Amino acid sequence: MEKKIVLITGASSGIGEGCARKFAMNGYRLILNGRNMEKLTAVKRELETEYRADVCLLPFDVRDRGAAKAALDSLPEEWKAIDILVNNAGLVIGVDKEHEGNLDEWDIVLDTNVKSLLAMTRLVVPGMVERGRGHVINMGSIAGDYAYPGGSVYCASKAAVKALSDGLRIDLVDTPVRVTNIKPGLVETNFSVVRFRGDKSAADNVYKGIRPLTGDDIAEVVYFAAAVPEHIQVAEVLVMPANQATGTIVSRK
Ligand code: 8X3
């Protein structure tokens, strides 16, 4: 059988890197996007060495719509028929209150988490519809279900990811293309380091006394949603550490 092609945004670290590894070990062909060519190249080398993976790097900033289009247009013919789009790139900056935060930082969060995800969907999904097969997997968050202190804008962005996933699922209901929204809880990646503007000890505190999930753990769930038979549409998955119950209720030992 022909190997499937998966495009993962934000694939140079964290959940995106975990997804790249999981799909690589299962024989998928990978298009990896990120901003940091050095890190992307390191991931590509690892996957080629460990799994003999077929990897194509597509470095661009997802916020740059023109660059995204140019990059996708530049794909060689044998890489164009993308089967799975993992809209993973996302971030948060700061823990400011809604009425006190920095609007420029919030532009970055909303542009990356919402508008870029929409732009990638707009660029890739028409081909899926045309080919009569495809799957969009969006990285939502538990933050989209519950707003929490210091998370207002991030939570809003992930609520938007839920609405965009639900809306896309409605728009594609008469096609075979599936849409999944994965909603992780506490996952230890670079996420909190960026949130706390590089303050590693503040980031470490987020995961203190609990065993957080890893990017590889989330990749298990992403891969499950992708690998179930094609008549099954895993619409949403909320996935948390065993000692997390909601966005704010966590038992720390
Ligand atoms: C990341 C999960 O709980 O830090 O999306 O917002 S949380």
Side-chain angles (χ1 to χ4, degrees):
M1 217 178 71
E2 211 181 299
K3 288 184 173 179
K4 287 192 173 170
I5 300 176
V6 56
L7 164 56
I8 304 168
T9 65
S12 60
S13 65
I15 293 175
E17 181 188 352
C19 290
R21 190 173 298 115
K22 184 73 187 174
F23 281 99
M25 68 177 75
N26 283 282
Y28 284 66
R29 296 167 66 206
L30 299 150
I31 303 174
L32 303 184
N33 156 264
R35 285 173 298 178
N36 185 325
M37 191 57 178
E38 215 173 295
K39 282 201 210 162
L40 278 179
T41 306
V43 174
K44 175 177 156 80
R45 288 219 181 98
E46 181 208 318
L47 301 181
E48 285 171 344
T49 312
E50 293 292 319
Y51 311 110
R52 296 168 171 264
D54 201 3
V55 183
C56 170
L57 296 185
L58 212 54
F60 59 89
D61 183 335
V62 284
R63 287 182 296 154
D64 184 340
R65 215 179 276 172
K69 180 167 180 351
L72 287 164
D73 285 347
S74 78
L75 280 172
E77 227 26 68
E78 68 274 19
W79 283 98
K80 280 197 194 296
I82 295 162
D83 293 288
I84 302 170
L85 168 64
V86 182
N87 272 321
N88 165 72
L91 82 169
V92 61
I93 311 172
V95 284
D96 303 296
K97 293 183 193 291
E98 194 171 323
H99 60 292
E100 293 173 352
N102 178 319
L103 286 167
D104 292 331
E105 287 180 340
W106 285 341
D107 273 344
I108 296 173
V109 173
L110 292 168
D111 285 351
T112 308
N113 298 5
V114 183
K115 287 168 73 181
S116 304
L117 177 143
L118 180 56
M120 289 304 294
T121 298
R122 180 67 184 85
L123 285 167
V124 174
V125 174
M128 292 180 172
V129 172
E130 217 175 275
R131 291 185 293 276
R133 64 168 208 268
H135 192 168
V136 178
I137 302 180
N138 289 331
M139 203 48 63
S141 172
I142 195 171
D145 288 356
Y146 315 87
Y148 55 70
S152 180
V153 173
Y154 178 70
C155 294
S157 78
K158 293 300 182 177
V161 171
K162 174 175 165 51
L164 289 171
S165 306
D166 290 346
L168 186 64
R169 204 176 300 110
I170 292 167
D171 293 337
L172 295 172
V173 71
D174 57 356
T175 79
V177 180
R178 302 180 293 181
V179 181
T180 299
N181 182 24
I182 306 283
K183 304 188 297 185
L186 288 168
V187 183
E188 190 164 17
T189 62
N190 210 32
F191 175 84
S192 290
V193 180
V194 175
R195 163 168 266 173
F196 289 103
R197 303 186 178 89
D199 182 342
K200 180 84 174 64
S201 72
D204 287 345
N205 269 335
V206 175
Y207 311 107
K208 218 178 190 154
I210 186 170
R211 179 173 172 185
L213 301 179
T214 64
D216 288 336
D217 294 333
I218 301 302
E220 291 292 326
V221 181
V222 169
Y223 185 74
F224 171 81
V228 289
E230 288 182 1
H231 65 288
I232 303 174
Q233 178 167 229
V234 178
E236 268 199 7
V237 186
L238 174 62
V239 51
M240 297 176 276
N243 293 112
Q244 178 173 17
T246 71
T248 48
I249 300 178
V250 175
S251 169
R252 299 180 195 271
K253 303 262 158 33

